[in-house]
Amino acid sequence: MALSIWLAEFKNNSSEDECALYFLQFTIDVVIGTFMIWVMVGWQKRLADRFNIKSLQKSGFYGSPPKFGRFLVQLTAYVFLVSLVKTILGVVVIFFNMPIEELGNVIFL
């Protein structure tokens, strides 16, 4: 939230199309972010297999009968991965702001 406020103030004098930037950032998040999370969940499974962490070995399986503890472990791991991906993509978007802005200007004349 604080980062969004800071970016809004920082970008206040810019002339880019905010809708184009939103569309491109959303597209980057959906395409690259989803792929990154998929890869990281695979790494998580391999680590869980290697270190015999049963609650993370089968994503989406919570035991039979379902156990809340397994669900909580998987939820925590997933939220961590999503937060990590969002942070990485946020840094990338900030770092490549000018090329993204130029691409938005070309796509949305």
Side-chain angles (χ1 to χ4, degrees), residues 92-106:
V92 167
V93 165
I94 290 170
F95 186 73
F96 291 105
N97 185 47
M98 291 307 292
I100 292 172
E101 182 178 325
E102 290 172 11
L103 180 61
N105 289 337
V106 168

Side-chain angles (χ1 to χ4, degrees), residues 9-107:
E9 291 297 321
F10 176 74
K11 307 278 292 167
N12 199 17
N13 296 328
S14 185
S15 63
E16 80 277 349
D17 181 6
E18 292 163 356
C19 292
L21 283 179
Y22 175 78
F23 174 78
L24 290 173
Q25 289 175 3
F26 179 78
T27 303
I28 289 169
D29 186 38
V30 168
V31 174
I32 297 172
T34 302
F35 177 74
M36 288 174 68
I37 290 171
W38 178 70
V39 168
M40 289 181 180
V41 167
W43 292 346
Q44 169 188 298
K45 184 191 178 327
R46 280 189 227 112
L47 284 172
D49 289 340
R50 181 175 181 178
F51 294 108
N52 199 26
I53 305 170
K54 298 231 182 271
S55 58
L56 293 176
Q57 287 177 339
K58 289 178 92 177
S59 185
F61 178 72
Y62 311 117
S64 183
K67 295 180 176 57
F68 183 71
R70 278 193 179 185
F71 168 76
L72 200 57
V73 168
Q74 289 185 24
L75 177 65
T76 303
Y78 184 74
V79 168
F80 173 76
L81 292 179
V82 169
S83 299
L84 181 63
V85 166
K86 295 287 187 183
T87 301
I88 291 169
L89 289 179
V91 169
V92 167
V93 165
I94 290 170
F95 186 73
F96 291 105
N97 185 47
M98 291 307 292
I100 292 172
E101 182 178 325
E102 290 172 11
L103 180 61
N105 289 337
V106 168
I107 294 174

